[in-house]
Amino acid sequence: MENLTAARLPRPWTAPTASDPVSATLRLPGSKSLTARALVLSSLASGPSTLAGPLRARDTELMAGGLQAMGTHLSISDDERWLVRPHPLVGPAHVDVGLAGTVMRFLPPVASLADGRVTFDGDPQARVRPLGPLVGALHGLGVRVDTPPTGSLPLAVLGTGRVTGGEIVIDASASSQLVSGLLLAAPRFDRGVVVRHVGPPVPSAPHLRMTVRMLRAAGAAVDDTTPDVWSVEPGQLAGRGWEIEPDLSGAVPFFAAALVTGGEVTVPGWPHSSAQPVERLRTLLQAMGGEMTLSTAGLTVRGTGAVHGLTADLSDVSELTPVLTALATLADSPSRFTGIAHIRGHETDRIAALAREFGALGADLTESHDGLEIRPRPLRGGPFETYHDHRMAHAAAVAGLAVPGIELDDVVCTSKTMPKFPALWSAMVTGKS
């Protein structure tokens, strides 16, 4: 099995330019968000579970590795079906979070249920990602967590094998993962948990709805009827079969290629009822000049020969910001994106990085605290720094479809969520597999 969590050497890559409209049917890997949640819920269940069509990428291998380190039995040698057998969680153990927000925010609450010390650390940039609210919430639940004064990585959870649970207040405005991590482990707490968010709106609301939906599918009793309050009752989680649908955020750069080139891209195997924000994406792409249809053939996006500017609050789908920014630089009118202040704390400060890198290619971008304004003008080729951020690489690839000579300093960073991205992208552009 290829070890995607091993040290990776950056590899320069020139984004291919499209000479014709793309026309492709692409089988993309499973959703990272669904895979991560299914792994956690399966490790806390009362019986074995399977994941059909999971994502094998750096982030999900780190999640699997962290759970294995705490005692969960996993068989992930088969790319198409993973088997998870729960086992009592124990320490001492060490969890490498890499640069994965899901690992650094989902597994400390799980570690609080382990009997023993579990340490967490990751890539250098991971040490500046917001964890303080989660650490404070765990302290409020009576869990001992040792951290630097900044409340960030590296940290250690000193579990006693059980958590009493109860009611906590948290400011999750930096990331919905801060809430999801607590909810996923809560059925195993003696009293469950009531999480109350106080602060600016929680971003990425669809991911919270995904968490609640999957908890209920595993047998948990969850009440989310009160805004900004989530209540999870204590109880057993059932082992089950999880069908992991294709990854929407991973598909977006390919869909964007249809808009840029006036082509058509289909991702087969898409369910008619999706846990991911397909309808929100449909609205955004239609506004920018695309057409999206869901049929028995899959999820298809067609370009109409023009890319239009867009004014939108992206707080619920902030992971799409880099690719939408690339589209906006190629549009026929200005764009303005707001509600994305929290992406300054992602793999890099994405707002600043997008303004800097596209600005170096000739784009006219202005950053604000919580967004970007993009005024299209002709772009030129040149170096593009990814900051080890897979979504920055996706943005550069989209722009490169129309602008020759965009040279990424590191395309291997896409292995975080899609190890075969460079090959899939090149095959789509050239029409050669």
Side-chain angles (χ1 to χ4, degrees):
M1 179 180 69
E2 180 185 7
N3 185 2
L4 298 172
T5 67
R8 302 164 300 117
L9 293 176
R11 178 161 62 88
W13 187 68
T14 300
T17 302
S19 56
D20 298 296
V22 300
S23 178
T25 297
L26 301 163
R27 292 198 172 273
L28 298 182
S31 162
K32 179 189 78 169
S33 298
L34 291 168
T35 301
R37 286 161 175 78
L39 283 171
V40 172
L41 291 170
S42 298
S43 74
L44 299 175
S46 58
S49 298
T50 58
L51 280 66
L55 169 68
R56 179 184 295 282
R58 188 177 188 230
D59 277 17
T60 53
E61 283 205 334
L62 287 166
M63 181 70 79
L67 292 168
Q68 285 176 315
M70 287 185 276
T72 299
H73 296 172
L74 286 96
S75 174
I76 60 173
S77 58
D78 183 347
D79 285 348
E80 298 303 317
R81 186 171 296 273
W82 292 359
L83 176 63
V84 183
R85 293 187 178 91
H87 196 269
L89 302 174
V90 295
H94 177 70
V95 176
D96 176 8
V97 310
L99 200 49
T102 49
V103 180
M104 71 179 71
R105 297 182 183 125
F106 290 4
L107 291 194
V110 173
S112 70
L113 293 163
D115 187 4
R117 178 184 178 92
V118 182
T119 58
F120 293 79
D121 203 359
D123 296 356
Q125 182 64 20
R127 294 189 172 190
V128 302
R129 299 192 70 175
L131 273 180
L134 177 62
V135 172
L138 290 173
H139 283 156
L141 292 171
V143 179
R144 181 180 169 187
V145 184
D146 292 342
T147 69
T150 56
S152 60
L153 294 173
L155 63 80
V157 177
L158 288 83
T160 60
R162 61 180 295 182
V163 176
T164 302
E167 184 170 332
I168 53 171
V169 176
I170 187 173
D171 179 355
S173 57
S175 173
S176 65
Q177 293 171 350
L178 298 167
V179 175
S180 286
L182 293 163
L183 300 185
L184 290 167
R188 289 281 302 273
F189 298 169
D190 293 348
R191 292 167 44 201
V193 77
V194 176
V195 179
R196 296 183 182 274
H197 163 69
V198 176
V202 180
S204 303
H207 286 90
L208 270 174
R209 291 194 291 270
M210 179 189 296
T211 297
V212 170
R213 177 174 171 171
M214 294 183 70
L215 274 162
R216 287 173 176 156
V222 186
D223 183 353
D224 62 345
T225 55
T226 302
D228 291 333
V229 180
W230 300 266
S231 175
V232 181
E233 296 294 326
Q236 283 195 342
L237 295 171
R240 53 159 292 162
W242 296 99
E243 296 287 337
I244 307 299
E245 61 192 57
D247 189 75
L248 182 63
S249 58
V252 166
F254 297 91
F255 291 153
L259 271 68
V260 172
T261 67
E264 178 176 311
V265 172
T266 296
V267 177
W270 212 283
H272 280 272
S273 176
S274 177
Q276 301 176 83
V278 174
E279 286 304 314
R280 177 69 167 128
L281 177 63
R282 182 199 302 269
T283 300
L284 294 169
L285 292 185
Q286 283 178 338
M288 298 194 83
E291 299 174 348
M292 178 183 286
T293 58
L294 179 59
S295 68
T296 55
L299 191 61
T300 299
V301 172
R302 298 176 183 85
T304 57
V307 179
H308 307 310
L310 173 70
T311 297
D313 180 338
L314 300 180
S315 57
D316 57 345
V317 287
S318 59
E319 70 275 12
L320 308 185
T321 302
V323 166
L324 294 181
T325 297
L327 282 173
T329 65
L330 304 173
D332 57 13
S333 58
S335 296
R336 182 170 181 262
F337 302 143
T338 57
I340 51 174
H342 59 285
I343 72 171
R344 291 187 180 277
H346 282 199
E347 282 81 346
T348 186
D349 179 340
R350 284 179 174 163
I351 293 177
L354 288 165
R356 184 181 305 116
E357 297 309 312
F358 279 110
L361 300 181
D364 182 5
L365 290 84
T366 302
E367 60 175 294
S368 63
H369 168 67
D370 77 334
L372 282 165
E373 292 189 18
I374 306 104
R375 291 163 291 276
R377 64 185 190 186
L379 301 184
R380 57 181 176 269
F384 191 103
E385 187 174 348
T386 64
Y387 306 89
H388 310 296
D389 184 341
H390 58 141
R391 303 214 190 278
M392 289 293 292
H394 295 164
V398 169
L401 292 167
V403 182
I406 295 182
E407 301 170 353
L408 287 68
D409 69 322
D410 176 22
V411 76
V412 178
C413 65
T414 56
S415 66
K416 176 180 170 67
T417 51
M418 192 180 298
K420 295 181 180 179
F421 175 81
L424 286 168
W425 191 263
S426 297
M428 175 191 67
V429 176
T430 63
K432 301 175 181 178
S433 58

